[in-house]
Amino acid sequence: MLALLPLVLGPASFLGTQDEAPPSEREQISRAMRTIKARGATDEERDLAMAELLFLGSDGPRSLGSWIESSLKSRGKRGAKEEARLLSELERRGAEVIRQRLKGKAEREVDELRDLLRRHYRDAQLTKETIQAECDPAVARLTELLTIGAQEVWGADEQLQLDWESLLDDRDRDFVLLETWYAAQAALLSIPGSGERAARRMKEPTWPQLDAEDLLDEADRIAQLAIPMSKSDRRAFDQNHAVPVAQGDSPAEGEIGAEEKLGVRFLNLRRVLLGLPAQSLDLKLSLASRGHSRDMAEHGFFSHDSPLKGKETPWARAALAGTTASSENIAVGSSTGEGAILQWWYSPGHHRNMMGGGSRSGLGRFGRHWTQLFGG
């Protein structure tokens, strides 16, 4: 909308009578600034005023840019506090809904389902058919009883839903203001001399960390954490989430691939669902896993045993990365971390590894090759 407004309004949007002198540029700027600062002004009125300012010499876009910088700084602080509050409230309210579900027979049913799954993944004779026929229905029922989505939480708390809608509207508005700031900078750069100098003095605002779409994804992530778990489990989820995601396909030291991270999270959610402790992400195990996936792809083999010197076994590869390992899974074919975990879920030996007692895990991808290492 903003991009079209200047074409409609132009630099002379004032309509006066025949006897009135048109307002000066300074007066037009003053009037427009009063509008965008007015508490009672609507977003549409502010948008019209901001579009007009873009055409008012160099002082118009300069004043607009300065106001946006100040406004976004204060909005950012308020928005961050409100975001943290609403995410915390979302998880708290979600946990309450789940507790209500588990009253009476449901809690006993959870224990029985977990016992069934425990017997299966400890069974040396476990088969893919058993996983499909008995484990999958049990997991589906546990998911129904123990998990909740953001939309369901909001459906149970009208005020919380209204507060979230307000936060999302504000976040959309933040991005409108940011785009307008760039328009003001561009308007100044088009004016030789004073305009260009003013543009260089502008201080680019900090982009909000999450836009409205990202906030909805974060809400679903937090709602998932309402599943009953111990403090140590929650700590593992928080620490794993804090690991930076690589921007490209080659994670640097201290980073992890996006799909690798999602795969680790997917497995941990399933472990907690089954009553098992969440595993901490070991970046050294991920490094060793990623290296083995790459070696398999580039050297044309698919095995736990590597033909490469110093990397012959999973234990040697873990040691090379500076850590230790107790078991390893390998797979090929999936483009996602969740897909790789599900491949292993239906393979009895790999299934038992994932449901084992290790406290650490690492996931490493190269193309469609995947390796997973576990450590005690």
Side-chain angles (χ1 to χ4, degrees):
M1 180 176 67
L2 281 174
L4 297 177
L5 284 173
L7 299 179
V8 177
L9 295 171
S13 58
F14 176 82
L15 297 176
T17 66
Q18 188 174 16
D19 297 326
E20 291 177 328
S24 66
E25 184 178 276
R26 179 174 294 183
E27 289 171 334
Q28 291 181 68
I29 293 172
S30 179
R31 182 184 61 192
M33 290 301 299
R34 284 198 300 272
T35 298
I36 66 175
K37 292 178 180 179
R39 287 182 177 274
T42 65
D43 286 342
E44 183 177 5
E45 289 169 338
R46 289 192 178 94
D47 288 343
L48 288 167
M50 288 191 294
E52 186 176 5
L53 284 164
L54 293 174
F55 281 86
L56 294 174
S58 61
D59 286 341
R62 181 184 57 77
S63 298
L64 175 60
S66 179
W67 176 80
I68 291 175
E69 290 166 14
S70 176
S71 178
L72 282 175
K73 185 176 181 179
S74 59
R75 287 173 65 91
K77 291 179 180 178
R78 292 195 305 271
K81 289 181 180 179
E82 183 67 353
E83 178 184 318
R85 182 185 77 81
L86 291 181
L87 287 171
S88 177
E89 185 64 15
L90 179 73
E91 184 178 356
R92 185 193 69 79
R93 189 71 179 91
E96 287 181 358
V97 174
I98 292 173
R99 280 196 294 271
Q100 290 298 315
R101 286 184 197 160
L102 294 180
K103 288 185 175 180
K105 295 181 180 179
E107 187 171 11
R108 190 159 57 249
E109 183 182 2
V110 168
D111 291 337
E112 291 171 353
L113 290 168
R114 286 175 167 174
D115 284 342
L116 171 67
L117 289 162
R118 190 177 299 112
R119 287 198 301 273
H120 283 314
Y121 64 69
R122 289 176 176 173
D123 183 3
Q125 305 304 314
L126 178 66
T127 65
K128 179 180 179 180
E129 290 70 28
T130 299
I131 295 172
Q132 293 173 324
E134 298 189 32
C135 296
D136 281 358
V139 169
R141 180 56 177 159
L142 285 171
T143 300
E144 183 181 350
L145 290 170
L146 296 175
T147 65
I148 193 167
Q151 291 290 346
E152 189 177 353
V153 179
W154 293 327
D157 191 325
E158 183 179 1
Q159 185 56 55
L160 183 59
Q161 180 176 3
L162 291 173
D163 289 346
W164 264 95
E165 289 174 354
S166 178
L167 177 65
L168 293 171
D169 287 343
D170 284 346
R171 196 54 53 88
D172 279 338
R173 188 64 187 167
D174 289 342
F175 278 91
V176 169
L177 291 175
L178 278 163
E179 293 294 344
T180 307
W181 183 90
Y182 285 111
Q185 186 185 54
L188 285 171
L189 287 171
S190 70
I191 303 173
S194 62
E196 292 176 319
R197 289 193 294 273
R200 286 194 292 269
R201 289 195 295 270
M202 293 177 74
K203 297 179 181 179
E204 183 176 7
T206 301
W207 284 81
Q209 188 172 5
L210 302 175
D211 61 18
E213 184 177 351
D214 290 335
L215 267 175
L216 289 173
D217 290 341
E218 181 67 359
D220 277 328
R221 186 188 75 83
I222 291 297
Q224 289 177 332
L225 297 178
I227 182 173
M229 68 176 76
S230 68
K231 290 182 179 179
S232 60
D233 290 336
R234 178 54 194 265
R235 187 161 53 249
F237 273 100
D238 289 343
Q239 290 173 347
N240 292 354
H241 180 66
V243 176
V245 172
Q247 296 302 307
D249 294 332
S250 301
E253 184 176 357
E255 294 181 337
I256 191 168
E259 285 300 329
E260 294 171 349
K261 189 172 185 177
L262 289 173
V264 170
R265 178 179 174 81
F266 180 71
L267 175 57
N268 267 338
L269 285 170
R270 182 152 292 198
R271 284 178 62 89
V272 171
L273 191 71
L274 273 58
L276 297 168
Q279 295 175 326
S280 297
L281 171 58
D282 185 333
L283 288 176
K284 293 179 179 179
L285 286 179
S286 284
L287 178 63
S289 297
R290 195 178 304 119
H292 188 55
S293 295
R294 183 179 191 123
D295 289 343
M296 288 191 292
E298 293 185 343
H299 294 273
F301 70 95
F302 184 72
S303 172
H304 295 289
D305 298 322
S306 172
L308 302 179
K309 187 176 181 180
K311 298 181 177 181
E312 291 84 357
T313 66
W315 339 123
R317 294 189 288 273
L320 196 62
T323 186
T324 59
S326 56
S327 58
E328 180 184 71
N329 289 342
I330 56 174
V332 65
S334 178
S335 61
T336 68
E338 180 176 333
I341 298 299
L342 288 175
Q343 282 183 271
W344 290 321
W345 174 260
Y346 291 109
S347 174
H350 300 97
H351 183 108
R352 285 192 292 271
N353 282 345
M354 293 194 301
M355 299 298 106
S359 61
R360 299 174 290 117
S361 69
L363 189 60
R365 170 196 185 188
F366 185 81
R368 291 180 176 269
H369 282 75
W370 293 84
T371 303
Q372 184 178 43
L373 283 167
F374 299 94

